[in-house]
Amino acid sequence: MDISIIGSGYVGLVSGACFAEVGHNVICVDNDQRKIDMLQAGKIPIYEPGLEEIVTRNVASGRLRFTSSIEDGVDNSQVVFIAVPTPPQPDGSVDLSFIERVAREIASVLKPGAYRVVVDKSTVPVKTGEKVTETIRRYNKEADFDVVSNPEFLREGCAVPDLMNPDRIVIGTNSDRAMALMHKIYDPFNAPVLVTDVNSAELIKHAANSFLALKISYINAVSAICEASGADVEKVASGIGMDKRIGRNFLNAGLGYGGSCFPKDIAAFIAISDELGVPFTLLKEVQRINAAQRDRFLKKMRETLWVLRDKKIAVWGISFKPDTDDVRSSVAVDLINDLTSEKAVVTCYDPKGAEKAKEFNLVPNAKIVDSALEAVEGAEALVIATEWKEFANIDLKEVKARMHTPLIFDGRNLLDPDAARKQGFVYHSVGRP
Ligand code: UGA
């Protein structure tokens, strides 16, 4: 199949590379010429395990190329994916201006008699597909096209395996003609396909992310009860997770969820439900619990350290989760800024996220260093804010030797409490005795 993807961000670039990997011809389009130049020069703008290899391989085989021209993409493909950002607005609702603009741009280059399937892959509110259809039709009366919703469920840090082996593929359309082409695209992937109408497909994405966030807030609320009662949240999570109806995934208590998806999507789903006149108040509680998790953690730090001002604190982790350099809406970043606003002297380290944190000046009052051990030099406390494997495998003896006082606040329950205490650390984590 000949495919174009408009928007070469996380979803667009990884999807494009994976479509090429299974044998399709893919044109990735982006209006950021700098990004296109970079990609054409073989440089990948994001860190995502395995992505560079498949991009390089498929560019070399001629199945993947990059352009800044939407016309080039639309002319040379049967199926046009939209994968542009849908950022939040101050009131939580979604800014759909990028989607609207792309719809108009597609309309302006669609040629009469050349049928195209326009597929929305960006996370959008229910009924966006209807708007995209109306917009294309308004700007091009002759166009022969169908609009499909095909939400993406990849996780950052494991985007390539998630895309190559998805749990499910959701295709929302009422058109048999569009569906036949979508099946051709996804035939090489070994995954169940769920066919729905456009509105249901759009809703599935927001409902899935909200449910996952709900699961995290649920276990985080349980972690507070564990702390108050002396129970162990890991054991509780294992006990509930062994029930197949519940499952153990996404029951890791910690500092709460962050990243560019969950906080934005939960706020969007609340705004959508409000707009539809059926307020989803449960999700407001999910948000409240998420924020409370960081507050409780800070309170624990204050209780132990008494005064945070002038305390030398090391923070491991800046990215919103391990195996990514993405620092957008990272809880680690918020925590670092909480600490520096209380005048603690913070030195932080992240295996991949440091560069972007510096580029966007996200932790302006903290020092970013080049290694985990450098960060703990002379520190009066160590905070683990992101659960990178590197931190789990570190030699705790060496960490203790470098610290001024051996105190750990593990915000991701990464270390074994017994092992840390055996090394002589005073060790605090989330919901564990
Ligand atoms: C999430 C979804 O998992 C994907 O399915 C979806 O496609 C994506 O959003 C999106 O909408 O684009 P992602 O944001 O990459 O993916 O990361 P997750 O692995 O879901 O983690 C999100 C946050 O939840 C992280 O801050 C993580 O630390 C936190 N988390 C996750 C927990 O606190 N506990 C858990 O048990 C799991």
Side-chain angles (χ1 to χ4, degrees):
M1 289 285 291
D2 295 323
I3 297 170
S4 61
I5 302 187
I6 300 172
S8 300
Y10 234 103
V11 169
L13 183 58
V14 183
S15 307
C18 291
F19 285 149
E21 180 75 359
V22 300
H24 301 307
N25 299 312
V26 181
I27 306 169
C28 283
V29 184
D30 204 287
N31 62 3
D32 180 351
Q33 188 60 49
R34 222 189 49 174
K35 193 184 267 180
I36 293 297
D37 292 344
M38 226 177 137
L39 287 163
Q40 282 173 341
K43 291 196 195 95
I44 312 294
I46 47 173
Y47 170 73
E48 184 60 40
L51 181 60
E52 190 166 354
E53 290 89 315
I54 58 167
V55 169
T56 310
R57 187 162 55 237
N58 286 286
V59 167
S61 72
R63 281 198 299 270
L64 179 63
R65 67 179 175 89
F66 305 98
T67 177
S68 54
S69 159
I70 286 200
E71 185 162 20
D72 178 7
V74 174
D75 274 355
N76 295 297
S77 57
Q78 300 144 286
V79 180
V80 181
F81 283 84
I82 303 177
V84 294
T86 49
Q89 308 197 88
D91 67 352
S93 66
V94 182
D95 173 0
L96 290 168
S97 57
F98 295 106
I99 298 267
E100 194 265 353
R101 195 177 67 210
V102 168
R104 276 188 285 121
E105 285 173 355
I106 292 174
S108 72
V109 295
L110 282 173
K111 313 268 178 340
Y115 175 72
R116 294 289 181 267
V117 180
V118 177
V119 186
D120 177 43
K121 223 180 209 326
S122 304
T123 301
V124 292
V126 60
K127 289 167 147 337
T128 300
E130 289 175 6
K131 294 273 182 234
V132 170
T133 306
E134 275 168 32
T135 304
I136 297 180
R137 179 64 60 224
R138 189 174 324 125
Y139 286 88
N140 188 336
K141 300 261 177 309
E142 316 278 277
D144 186 13
F145 71 100
D146 280 304
V147 170
V148 171
S149 166
N150 172 220
E152 182 46 60
F153 301 100
L154 65 81
R155 289 162 300 171
E156 292 184 19
C158 44
V160 173
D162 276 358
L163 238 146
M164 297 304 286
N165 298 295
D167 284 353
R168 80 301 207 184
I169 290 157
V170 174
I171 303 175
T173 177
N174 300 323
S175 153
D176 291 341
R177 196 175 175 194
M179 184 53 74
L181 292 174
M182 293 303 289
H183 272 303
K184 269 195 179 169
I185 291 179
Y186 282 111
D187 264 354
F189 295 86
N190 188 20
V193 174
L194 177 72
V195 176
T196 70
D197 56 283
V198 178
N199 286 345
S200 301
E202 289 168 341
L203 250 181
I204 285 169
K205 173 69 195 214
H206 272 127
N209 271 5
S210 299
F211 191 81
L212 291 168
L214 170 87
K215 237 182 143 178
I216 298 169
S217 278
Y218 185 89
I219 200 67
N220 280 336
V222 171
S223 80
I225 299 171
C226 288
E227 281 172 22
S229 63
D232 182 336
V233 74
E234 298 248 302
K235 299 207 170 94
V236 176
S238 298
I240 32 183
M242 283 164 87
D243 184 328
K244 287 196 188 71
R245 293 169 302 176
I246 299 173
R248 177 65 181 79
N249 288 335
F250 275 69
L251 285 180
N252 295 323
L255 286 165
Y257 60 78
S260 62
C261 301
F262 284 177
K264 156 177 106 84
D265 289 353
I266 281 69
F269 209 25
I270 290 172
I272 293 162
S273 62
D274 282 348
E275 206 179 306
L276 291 169
V278 279
F280 201 160
T281 47
L282 174 65
L283 293 183
K284 293 202 169 146
E285 188 58 14
V286 168
Q287 289 179 318
R288 193 200 59 76
I289 294 168
N290 199 51
Q293 209 59 9
R294 197 172 90 232
D295 290 345
R296 215 176 64 250
F297 190 78
L298 276 165
K299 190 165 161 237
K300 210 180 300 173
M301 289 188 72
R302 282 188 215 103
E303 273 164 14
T304 310
L305 289 163
W306 192 13
V307 172
L308 290 181
R309 174 181 279 272
D310 296 333
K311 288 274 156 42
K312 206 164 177 287
I313 297 175
V315 179
W316 284 352
I318 305 174
S319 59
F320 85 99
K321 66 174 196 177
D323 296 322
T324 177
D325 63 349
D326 198 340
V327 288
R328 291 174 292 173
S329 302
S330 167
V331 179
V333 166
D334 291 339
L335 186 71
I336 291 167
N337 289 327
D338 287 339
L339 292 171
T340 55
S341 72
E342 294 197 34
K343 300 283 180 276
V345 181
V346 177
T347 306
C348 46
Y349 164 71
D350 190 278
K352 294 283 177 202
E355 221 168 284
K356 290 208 166 134
K358 282 183 199 159
E359 186 184 337
F360 301 111
N361 196 26
L362 292 184
V363 288
N365 300 312
K367 184 174 170 198
I368 302 177
V369 295
D370 294 332
S371 80
L373 287 177
E374 198 182 335
V376 297
E377 201 70 61
E380 287 153 276
L382 163 64
V383 173
I384 302 177
T386 313
E387 66 276 32
W388 285 90
K389 254 203 200 90
E390 179 184 327
F391 306 151
N393 296 333
I394 210 157
D395 179 2
L396 284 178
K397 215 185 207 165
E398 181 68 30
V399 174
K400 184 169 173 244
R402 290 181 184 234
M403 288 181 72
H404 185 60
T405 43
L407 175 58
I408 297 178
F409 296 94
D410 184 349
R412 295 292 173 186
N413 290 352
L414 182 68
L415 304 181
D416 172 7
D418 290 339
R421 287 179 188 130
K422 213 178 271 167
Q423 283 300 336
F425 282 98
V426 173
Y427 175 82
H428 298 279
S429 53
V430 180
R432 300 191 299 183

